[in-house]
Amino acid sequence: MSTPESEESPGILEPYSEPPPAEPPPPLPKRSGWRMTAQIPNAGREPSPGLTDAEAEASWCAVTAPWHPALLAKSAALPRIESVDAPSSPARDEVRIVVDGLMHRLPSGFAPQAADCGAVLIESGSDRDKTIAELLERVAAPSAETQRPHAEDFLALGLSRWLVQDLITAMGRPEAMNEEMLAREAFAAADAWVAGDSEASASRLKAAFEVLTQAREAVYSIDAYLIDICLLDPALPAGAAASMLEPPVPVTFLASAQAIEAQAKLDPDVVPKLGQAITDGLVDVIGGTYSEAEDPLLPVESTLWQFRKGAEVYRDNLDERNVETYARRRSGLWPQVPQLSRKFGHRFAVHFALDGGRFPVRREPKRLWESPEGSTLETLFRLPIAADRPSQGPLFPWKLAATMRADHAATVTLIHWPAPTAGWYRDLRRASTHSPVLARWVTLDDYFQRTDRPYESFRPEPDDYGSPYLAQAAASREPAGISRFSTHHRLRARLEAVHWMRTMSRAVSASQPDAVVDAEAVRLEQRAIEDAEALLETRRFEEAASAIDALESEWSQALARSMNGSAEAKPDARPGFLVFNPLAVARKVAVILPGASPDLRPEGPLVAAQLTDEGVVAVVDLPAFGFAWVPRDTDPERPAAEAGQVSANGRVLKNEKIEVEFDKDTGGIRGIMAHGESTARLGQQVVATGLGTGNDRAVASRMKGESFEVEFAGPALVQAVSKSAIVDPSSGTTVAKVEQRCRLWAGRSVVELDVKLSDVDADWAARAVKGDPWSNHLACRWAWPDSSSMIRRLTFLSPETTDSERPETPDAVDISTRRQRTAVVFGGLPYHKKVGQRMLDTILVAGSEQAREFRLAVVLDDDHPHRSAANFVTPAVVVPSDFGPPPAGDRGWLMKIDSQAPAVIHVGFTPETYDSRGWGIDVHLVETVGYHARCRLQFFRPPTWARQYDLQGESQGDLSVENDAVWLDLMAGELYRVVVAFG
């Protein structure tokens, strides 16, 4: 909006005249006193890679100590910095401060020359206060003055001058510094400080910082960003977080939810302080999961628990705030992070790990990190500078110059624990309270908000990442660093079976006429399951196993009661067993039937039965997400099991689909092949690595067979045990004894292999504890004949081609040719190492691993290996039933999916869905083939409504319901959640 001109205002047609030039500042008065020079390595040059922390800390001390105001007030000129290798000639009234231990690098005769002319030559170590005290003594300044406030601000000014000078030198503009103006303001501030005028001192000091800021702006006129990241860990003492809130400089805490929870318990006052600092824009918290677990190696639902529990804890301790940036200190990067983080409401991510491992690095500070199904996160890729390393301080301006030259938004990140930190970092932090001298300090959230969203995406492959977990477990002497993953996978599978049985029991009961869902009872049931889940995910495996045992018994019996209904009244009721299948995979399962007749004959879903040492074992044909009823007693009218389904002939075990031959010399598996094939697909031995001769040349162990015995030979099971010794051929020492028990079941294309190790050589074990676990281990070695076979490992339940020498997967590796697919199933054992082009070692024992019994399997021609992996770790549940079969018949399904591509990983019950639609079922799925999947999810009764949700409960859209099914559309590799209402 314009306003009319006043009569006094000049007309718009009057000629423009230049304003008069500003009065030049008066010349700086000539000062008398000392001249101080710091003699440091690499002065004015980028530090060499060999710069040590000790030299760097002494350099920081030498450069900044002369800037103490009591010393500045007695100086004739600002302190200088020179190379220790090429100093100027000493003169009278000079003080030369040489980095401790580098006196020998001064030119020959420099020290006598300094003594002759009256110059002072001292050494500075890492104690800046001591150096200042020595300088004060040499220049006869009263030491009492050093106790006045704000002295550290002058020291920060000295550091800033050093770093800015190096920055403008690196940018090619060393003349950009206005030394005269800086001297004017610095000396005025020092004189005012000595005179006790704190207000004038602070004002002139701020002006001195502004001079440095102007020098930086001369070479980079827009904002450069400095992101200060402070690490928090659950083991830190009280006050760790609070210590970073003063002075009020933007800081970002990288903290798992468990770390925030620990700080809140130790220091309750920190919670409101953190909340207020976040409100003020001075603090950001980044993280995402409850604890920094080994997410890429855990079951999907375990990873979801980490995110879910983490979100709850953050909200409880951060005034209901959600963490928006996914970040970890510990290695945990993998391609699925963007998808999982998006499902839990995260918007940003940090793409680096601080404890080792392999991950791809990008040149740009930011990119869009894209997961296989298309989710993206705006991600920081800039590797941080360690602010607790003195040697990183001299590097700081050179790294800042590099990003100023190359990046659209210059970005530098710092990383450190609350304490200790390097002196240069503390000075730099203090300087930022006066002016953004080198860069603007921002929280990470503020950085993402201030800078443009990148348009380039980054879509890594699974092989781009490698974890350091095995090496870390060995270094920390974990007694179950490998086997605990197997325990975790099996317990999680059983817990998900409990979820399914509870859901089906509740659903069947709620489907009865006039049934009412007791919301309070449901809440208590859910709480019990959540407590068991928390025990499992916090690695209290023994407690978790006990809790899951109780829950499994409770809900299997509840589901059996729901299925039986009024079966007690049936006149033809027979005692038997209900067998439940909690997987979305139709399968033949091996179960134990307690109290069954020893001569039980095939009937209905019962394929075969057999008496063993453990009782009567049986193979039962189960529908997906269904049940089967088998009798307890033999029906004499039925024929016995067909002979020849399983058999043993010498060292060859067979069923209708597979042949397994054991090698007489080694005791390992000579070959596994499909029935009728002439060439073995796979061979197996147990090997020891880390063996050597006197000249430390590695040698291969030898496996020597000792005995072979067939324990059972049908009609349901053929089982044999082979015993061998692992021998070091260089010394003849027996490294370990091996007992391998192999099982084939009637009707199943699965080879089950139990490996038991014993008598492990003490010398080898001691070397393994100290050595690299990837080179010193006992392993199950798999070998195949075709070096051109495609090797794919399961990642997020999807088979991904791998060329990695160390392909990590706890589930399975698929070895494929044009006509054959052979899956090696690991049951949770995650660490594998390629040996040449045709062998793979599954590591069993390394480091301090104490487990000696392991379970593995080989499955032939399964187009969806995730099913084999789930089948192997998820047992069917058997419930004795006095009245059977149930009214629904001797077999049936309760829910199913008409496509094999999606894996159903969770089925839960909810007493209330949405819009008062009553009870429902919560289902999680993962697409595993890599293509869009349109499929139907069917239930034993027609649903009334269905809706897709993210994992925070946000609606993603309603779904089509058709009769007893819900239509689903899954993107390739998508984690999908649907809630189906029935009430």
Side-chain angles (χ1 to χ4, degrees):
M1 180 180 293
S2 61
T3 58
E5 295 182 7
S6 65
E7 293 182 1
E8 294 79 7
S9 63
I12 61 174
L13 299 179
E14 290 185 9
Y16 172 77
S17 60
E18 290 285 347
E23 289 288 333
L28 184 67
K30 188 173 182 179
R31 296 176 65 92
S32 61
W34 293 85
R35 296 177 183 272
M36 300 193 186
T37 303
Q39 309 286 176
I40 66 173
N42 307 303
R45 295 182 292 111
E46 184 172 1
S48 64
L51 181 66
T52 65
D53 281 338
E55 289 179 356
E57 191 163 20
S59 297
W60 159 77
C61 178
V63 169
T64 59
W67 286 80
H68 190 280
L71 294 170
L72 276 181
K74 287 187 169 292
S75 296
L78 290 180
R80 296 185 305 157
I81 303 172
E82 291 183 354
S83 171
V84 71
D85 299 305
S88 59
S89 298
R92 184 178 177 81
D93 294 333
E94 276 194 346
V95 178
R96 299 297 179 102
I97 310 163
V98 184
V99 168
D100 185 28
L102 298 186
M103 281 285 193
H104 66 280
R105 289 175 56 175
L106 290 170
S108 177
F110 184 88
Q113 185 182 358
D116 292 343
C117 70
V120 176
L121 195 63
I122 69 172
E123 286 187 294
S124 74
S126 59
D127 188 339
R128 186 167 64 180
D129 291 340
K130 182 179 178 181
T131 301
I132 291 172
E134 185 175 355
L135 288 171
L136 289 171
E137 182 181 352
R138 292 299 184 103
V139 302
S143 59
E145 291 179 343
T146 63
Q147 303 303 318
R148 292 178 184 171
H150 307 303
E152 291 183 348
D153 294 326
F154 285 86
L155 303 177
L157 179 66
L159 173 91
S160 300
R161 190 271 194 120
W162 176 27
L163 299 185
V164 169
Q165 188 62 60
D166 276 5
L167 174 66
I168 61 179
T169 300
M171 297 293 286
R173 293 281 305 280
E175 76 286 353
M177 180 80 74
N178 189 334
E179 290 285 349
E180 184 176 347
M181 184 63 71
L182 178 62
R184 182 186 307 277
E185 300 299 341
F187 283 132
D191 293 340
W193 185 88
V194 171
D197 188 348
S198 59
E199 184 175 346
S201 175
S203 175
R204 302 306 289 268
L205 187 63
K206 185 173 182 64
F209 278 108
E210 289 296 337
V211 173
L212 296 178
T213 304
Q214 291 169 13
R216 189 265 299 167
E217 290 177 342
V219 298
Y220 193 80
S221 59
I222 61 176
D223 276 337
Y225 297 100
L226 192 153
I227 305 163
D228 182 22
I229 301 176
C230 179
L231 302 171
L232 293 182
D233 186 85
L236 289 176
S243 66
M244 290 301 302
L245 301 181
E246 293 295 338
V249 178
V251 63
T252 299
F253 288 110
L254 196 168
S256 66
Q258 189 178 29
I260 295 293
E261 183 180 57
Q263 283 295 303
K265 290 179 179 178
L266 293 170
D267 184 8
D269 293 339
V270 78
V271 173
K273 291 179 182 178
L274 274 178
Q276 186 59 49
I278 294 172
T279 301
D280 295 341
L282 294 173
V283 165
D284 185 23
V285 176
I286 61 176
T289 55
Y290 178 68
S291 63
E292 295 188 329
E294 299 86 349
D295 290 348
L297 305 183
L298 295 180
V300 176
E301 282 298 321
S302 290
T303 301
L304 299 186
W305 181 90
Q306 289 286 343
F307 276 92
R308 186 168 59 248
K309 179 66 174 177
E312 293 173 2
V313 172
Y314 285 125
R315 286 194 296 268
D316 288 345
N317 292 282
L318 299 176
D319 293 339
E320 295 300 320
R321 292 181 175 89
N322 291 317
V323 168
E324 292 193 325
T325 302
Y326 175 87
R328 288 172 58 114
R329 174 186 65 84
R330 193 180 183 211
S331 177
L333 301 173
W334 56 313
Q336 295 299 333
V337 166
Q339 177 178 194
L340 296 174
S341 295
R342 275 294 187 187
K343 297 289 185 183
F344 283 94
H346 297 161
R347 301 168 58 198
F348 313 113
V350 171
H351 192 277
F352 54 72
L354 304 174
D355 67 336
R358 185 180 71 254
F359 55 90
V361 177
R362 308 304 302 176
R363 183 189 63 80
E364 307 87 348
K366 287 203 308 180
R367 270 202 178 190
L368 294 178
W369 183 6
E370 184 179 0
S371 64
E373 107 306 345
S375 296
T376 59
L377 287 175
E378 188 175 344
T379 303
L380 176 71
F381 283 87
R382 177 68 76 228
L383 295 178
I385 298 172
D388 56 355
R389 291 287 305 279
S391 59
Q392 296 298 299
L395 281 171
F396 176 83
W398 302 91
K399 291 188 175 182
L400 181 58
T403 183
M404 285 178 172
R405 291 192 297 266
D407 299 324
H408 179 68
T411 305
V412 174
T413 55
L414 305 178
I415 198 95
H416 57 90
W417 295 100
T421 52
W424 66 265
Y425 164 78
R426 297 191 294 272
D427 285 349
L428 195 63
R429 182 175 165 87
R430 180 171 289 275
S432 71
T433 63
H434 295 276
S435 179
V437 179
L438 289 120
R440 181 175 297 279
W441 291 56
V442 292
T443 64
L444 190 55
D445 181 73
D446 199 19
Y447 170 75
F448 283 122
Q449 303 293 349
R450 286 172 176 265
T451 55
D452 294 336
R453 180 178 172 86
Y455 59 87
E456 293 181 310
S457 63
F458 167 72
R459 189 168 182 171
E461 298 294 328
D463 276 2
D464 292 334
Y465 299 97
S467 80
Y469 302 144
L470 179 59
Q472 290 171 348
S476 59
R477 307 292 175 89
E478 287 189 37
I482 300 171
S483 59
R484 66 178 173 83
F485 290 99
S486 178
T487 302
H488 193 132
H489 276 259
R490 293 183 183 279
L491 288 176
R492 170 49 82 169
R494 290 181 58 202
L495 185 62
E496 290 305 320
V498 169
H499 273 292
W500 179 82
M501 290 187 292
R502 171 178 176 259
T503 300
M504 292 299 104
S505 174
R506 276 288 181 183
V508 172
S509 298
S511 300
Q512 302 302 319
D514 301 324
V516 177
V517 176
D518 185 341
E520 179 62 19
V522 170
R523 187 187 67 81
L524 294 175
E525 296 162 5
Q526 184 64 28
R527 179 62 181 272
I529 294 178
E530 289 175 353
D531 289 345
E533 187 176 33
L535 292 172
L536 169 60
E537 301 305 338
T538 54
R539 299 187 188 177
R540 289 176 285 178
F541 293 139
E542 291 186 4
E543 297 173 72
S546 297
I548 292 172
D549 286 343
L551 290 168
E552 187 176 76
S553 175
E554 175 187 356
W555 287 109
S556 61
Q557 293 179 33
L559 180 55
R561 289 193 297 269
S562 299
M563 296 299 304
N564 280 324
S566 58
E568 296 86 342
K570 290 176 60 176
D572 57 345
R574 297 172 60 191
F577 305 90
L578 275 171
V579 184
F580 295 115
N581 180 16
L583 291 181
V585 180
R587 55 181 181 151
K588 290 183 174 69
V589 298
V591 295
I592 297 176
L593 303 178
S597 296
D599 60 343
L600 200 60
R601 298 181 179 183
E603 178 179 345
L606 178 63
V607 176
Q610 178 178 335
L611 179 63
T612 69
D613 296 340
E614 296 180 334
V616 174
V617 297
V619 178
V620 181
D621 192 1
L622 286 175
F625 279 143
F627 67 91
W629 178 88
V630 296
R632 186 185 67 190
D633 301 316
T634 298
D635 182 353
E637 300 297 324
R638 294 186 176 274
E642 181 181 346
Q645 286 186 315
V646 296
S647 62
N649 183 9
R651 293 176 178 267
V652 178
L653 312 182
K654 294 182 181 181
N655 67 7
E656 314 94 310
K657 300 183 178 183
I658 300 182
E659 296 182 13
V660 180
E661 181 181 359
F662 278 82
D663 188 275
K664 180 179 179 180
D665 294 330
T666 67
I669 296 177
R670 183 180 180 87
I672 298 174
M673 65 195 79
H675 187 66
E677 291 178 345
S678 58
T679 303
R681 298 192 187 186
L682 204 64
Q684 177 270 349
Q685 289 188 20
V686 177
V687 299
T689 64
L691 307 178
T693 61
N695 56 10
D696 291 330
R697 291 182 57 192
V699 297
S701 65
R702 292 179 183 174
M703 190 174 181
K704 291 187 176 181
E706 295 181 341
S707 67
F708 180 85
E709 178 186 0
V710 176
E711 296 180 317
F712 302 105
L717 165 70
V718 58
Q719 176 174 298
V721 59
S722 174
K723 296 182 179 181
S724 307
I726 309 298
V727 178
D728 180 351
S730 62
S731 64
T733 304
T734 297
V735 179
K737 295 283 189 176
V738 182
E739 180 179 293
Q740 297 197 120
R741 184 166 276 103
C742 180
R743 283 186 296 275
L744 294 178
W745 297 91
R748 301 182 67 199
S749 56
V750 180
V751 180
E752 295 181 358
L753 184 65
D754 294 349
V755 179
K756 182 178 180 180
L757 305 173
S758 61
D759 301 327
V760 177
D761 180 66
D763 292 338
W764 180 90
R767 292 197 304 272
V769 168
K770 299 176 182 178
D772 173 21
W774 290 101
S775 302
N776 298 266
H777 53 249
L778 289 166
C780 186
R781 176 167 291 176
W782 312 95
W784 52 93
D786 189 351
S787 61
S788 65
S789 296
M790 179 186 296
I791 310 301
R792 296 185 294 178
R793 57 167 164 161
L794 286 195
T795 301
F796 205 62
L797 304 182
S798 298
E800 300 284 351
T801 303
T802 179
D803 294 319
S804 173
E805 293 301 312
R806 298 174 181 178
E808 296 178 349
T809 175
D811 300 313
V813 162
D814 184 60
I815 305 167
S816 302
T817 64
R818 294 181 62 185
R819 296 182 177 85
Q820 300 171 344
R821 296 190 68 170
T822 306
V824 182
V825 182
F826 306 118
L829 297 172
Y831 303 119
H832 319 283
K833 181 180 179 180
K834 279 187 178 179
V835 182
Q837 297 298 311
R838 298 188 301 104
M839 292 185 286
L840 180 75
D841 285 358
T842 297
I843 297 177
L844 306 177
V845 174
S848 299
E849 175 63 55
Q850 297 300 305
R852 294 295 183 264
E853 297 184 20
F854 309 91
R855 293 190 60 201
L856 303 108
V858 176
V859 182
L860 303 189
D861 300 322
D862 188 346
D863 292 335
H864 302 279
H866 72 86
R867 303 184 311 175
S868 298
N871 191 357
F872 188 55
V873 297
T874 309
V877 180
V878 177
V879 181
S881 173
D882 291 335
F883 305 96
D890 63 2
R891 77 185 84 186
W893 57 269
L894 298 171
M895 61 181 287
K896 64 180 180 179
I897 189 167
D898 66 356
S899 171
Q900 296 180 351
V904 180
I905 59 174
H906 174 78
V907 179
F909 181 80
T910 176
E912 189 67 38
T913 50
Y914 41 80
D915 301 334
S916 300
R917 294 183 182 274
W919 63 272
I921 296 177
D922 186 355
V923 184
H924 298 173
L925 307 94
V926 174
E927 197 287 321
T928 66
V929 177
Y931 300 100
H932 168 263
R934 180 167 174 78
C935 56
R936 294 191 311 156
L937 185 62
Q938 295 177 262
F939 299 90
F940 69 93
R941 58 166 289 181
T944 58
W945 201 261
R947 181 174 289 174
Q948 182 185 357
Y949 283 89
D950 68 9
L951 295 169
Q952 283 192 310
E954 296 293 329
S955 173
Q956 305 291 298
D958 292 344
L959 302 174
S960 175
V961 176
E962 181 181 291
N963 298 323
D964 65 348
V966 177
W967 282 97
L968 310 178
D969 284 280
L970 285 76
M971 300 294 291
E974 182 180 7
L975 171 62
Y976 195 95
R977 180 190 179 194
V978 57
V979 177
V980 184
F982 294 87

